[in-house]
Amino acid sequence: MLVDDLRSGGLVSAVGTSWRAVSDRVMGGVSRAELRFERHLGRPCLHLQGDVRLDNEGGFIQMALDLDPLGGTVDARAYRGLRLVVLGNGERYSAHLRTEDVVRPWQSYRAQFNTTTQWREVQLPFASFVPHRIEAPLDLTSVRRIGLVAIGREFSADLRVARVEFYL
């Protein structure tokens, strides 16, 4: 299932919802995030840049996408995982999934991936997503949001994403 291939030429995804930048400033942190559409090495992509800072209990920036334009969820049981085409600055990033079970801002299901300075495909099997501050197992019948996140340590984030999809 294609989530986005950035062919729209902007922040509106293939599923009809818009990507947005979110940072720890929503909870008093001081990290800075900027998200924009661009072309890089011949590919349309989203570019997340910013500085992750740990001050004031902060420590993240992300590009986030709700999966249903009506605020509902997506049933991802037919798929094995999340596939990304990414390019970065050699840092480690995380993919976060939110479901109907996730009710607090700090809760999610997380899988990490590394970047290089060349475009590469990353496959993240759903089995590799670890619950974070939530007891419920990942419920693939109610996936609500995907976040691609720079988190947990101070660094300069520089992440480009050209494709997001659930793979069989």
Side-chain angles (χ1 to χ4, degrees):
M1 176 187 139
L2 177 66
V3 174
D4 204 0
D5 60 5
L6 287 300
R7 290 185 190 195
S8 72
L11 298 180
V12 177
S13 71
V15 296
T17 56
S18 294
W19 289 95
R20 61 189 179 100
V22 180
S23 77
D24 57 22
R25 290 178 185 246
V26 299
M27 18 186 287
V30 297
S31 298
R32 179 190 58 79
E34 179 183 334
L35 179 63
R36 67 183 173 276
F37 172 83
E38 65 183 31
R39 285 190 144 335
H40 185 75
L41 297 177
R43 289 190 172 196
C45 63
L46 291 178
H47 188 186
L48 177 69
Q49 279 186 302
D51 295 310
V52 180
R53 298 291 170 247
L54 302 178
D55 305 318
N56 296 342
E57 304 295 319
F60 76 89
I61 65 171
Q62 73 173 304
M63 62 175 86
L65 181 72
D66 291 328
L67 294 175
D68 186 281
L70 301 175
T73 63
V74 169
D75 185 342
R77 287 178 295 177
Y79 304 96
R80 291 181 38 218
L82 183 66
R83 180 182 295 134
L84 310 169
V85 175
V86 297
L87 178 148
N89 57 350
E91 293 285 349
R92 184 182 68 246
Y93 296 89
S94 295
H96 293 190
L97 298 177
R98 295 178 65 86
T99 67
E100 284 186 336
D101 292 326
V102 173
V103 295
R104 306 256 189 261
W106 51 82
Q107 296 175 321
S108 60
Y109 300 90
R110 300 177 176 187
Q112 295 184 341
F113 62 95
N114 293 312
T115 61
T116 68
T117 57
Q118 299 297 315
W119 287 113
R120 66 181 280 239
E121 183 179 287
V122 173
Q123 289 192 16
L124 302 169
F126 288 132
S128 69
F129 281 81
V130 176
H132 180 78
R133 295 187 177 177
I134 185 169
E135 296 296 320
L138 176 58
D139 178 5
L140 294 174
T141 67
S142 67
V143 181
R144 186 176 55 198
R145 179 198 266 180
I146 295 172
L148 303 176
V149 188
I151 191 167
R153 65 195 187 290
E154 292 198 2
F155 72 105
S156 291
D158 192 354
L159 175 65
R160 289 179 173 91
V161 179
R163 188 173 183 91
V164 179
E165 64 188 343
F166 295 123
Y167 69 91
L168 295 173

